[in-house]
Amino acid sequence: KLPAPHPRVCKLIQQIPNDPSVISSIISSTDPHIDWVALHLVSTIQDHPKLLDHVLTALLGSTQFTKIVIQAAIFESIQLITSPQFTTLEGSFARRRLSILGKLLGQLTLANNKMIPGRYLDLKQLLLFAFSQGKLLGVVPFVAEILCVASPYFNPPNPYMSGLLQVLASIGLTDLLKLSIKNDVFRVLH
């Protein structure tokens, strides 16, 4: 459990959905509690996806805070994937939140010519884990959201992207796969 920052900062975070311009002041004023702020910013983005563009413009100015937000988004995505209700009908809300996190991660990393560090999130291993555990319905759209915003730097023959595309192609060719999963795979491949 992370210690909560000053109540003034908590009030600023609560104002983000109504006034996204406060993000810059939050980033500059919360140095000792930056992990807590990053987790709550990621949670706010999941609740209000329309804020993603506003947050991205504020985050790209602060590389240190951006790294912490990436780690917070990866933490949240792992929490969602490993939750017990992820594969159930009630897990559609968690899967939707996961795809929003995929957009955030893709915009902060691959769209800016930065790879997602494998020590935090190995996408190939995640796809293979999802395949073996029956969690492809949520994980493939998450990976697709990350990969669809990649810059041309990551076009094949980039080894990072080539390995991911090979795994996705082999998943897409699997028999008896749901059509929505196949559509997400082919959206990335085309």
Side-chain angles (χ1 to χ4, degrees):
K1 182 109 175 141
L2 296 171
H6 193 269
R8 182 183 61 82
V9 176
C10 294
K11 285 184 181 181
L12 282 175
I13 287 186
Q14 291 173 351
Q15 292 176 2
I16 289 175
N18 300 327
D19 184 18
S21 63
V22 300
I23 296 172
S24 301
S25 63
I26 292 172
I27 292 171
S28 63
S29 68
T30 60
D31 198 27
H33 302 285
I34 203 147
D35 296 335
W36 188 90
V37 171
L39 275 171
H40 280 277
L41 185 62
V42 167
S43 179
T44 303
I45 291 170
Q46 287 176 323
D47 294 335
H48 307 281
K50 64 183 186 319
L51 294 175
L52 187 60
D53 293 331
H54 299 292
V55 171
L56 289 174
T57 56
L59 286 178
L60 293 178
S62 171
T63 56
Q64 182 62 28
F65 188 67
T66 301
K67 288 179 184 177
I68 295 171
V69 169
I70 290 170
Q71 291 174 2
I74 290 171
F75 173 77
E76 286 289 323
S77 62
I78 291 171
Q79 293 293 324
L80 289 172
I81 293 168
T82 56
S83 68
Q85 75 269 14
F86 187 73
T87 55
T88 63
L89 185 62
E90 295 82 24
S92 64
F93 181 68
R95 293 190 295 270
R96 175 68 185 135
R97 291 174 68 94
L98 187 65
S99 69
I100 294 167
L101 284 174
K103 286 181 188 175
L104 174 66
L105 282 172
Q107 290 288 342
L108 291 177
T109 56
L110 298 183
N112 293 316
N113 296 335
K114 296 178 187 171
M115 291 189 339
I116 298 173
R119 65 177 177 232
Y120 300 132
L121 183 66
D122 187 351
L123 292 177
K124 284 196 297 189
Q125 289 298 322
L126 180 64
L127 285 168
L128 295 173
F129 168 78
F131 185 76
S132 67
Q133 299 295 316
K135 297 186 176 195
L136 285 176
L137 189 60
V139 173
V140 170
F142 169 69
V143 173
E145 293 291 346
I146 292 173
L147 298 182
C148 282
V149 296
S151 70
Y153 174 77
F154 287 101
N155 288 348
N158 183 303
Y160 178 78
M161 188 64 84
S162 294
L164 282 170
L165 293 177
Q166 287 175 346
V167 172
L168 277 173
S170 62
I171 288 172
L173 294 175
T174 305
D175 291 335
L176 303 174
L177 199 62
K178 289 190 175 188
L179 189 59
S180 63
I181 297 172
K182 285 191 178 203
N183 288 340
D184 282 327
V185 169
F186 292 125
R187 178 172 57 121
V188 172
L189 294 176
H190 292 281

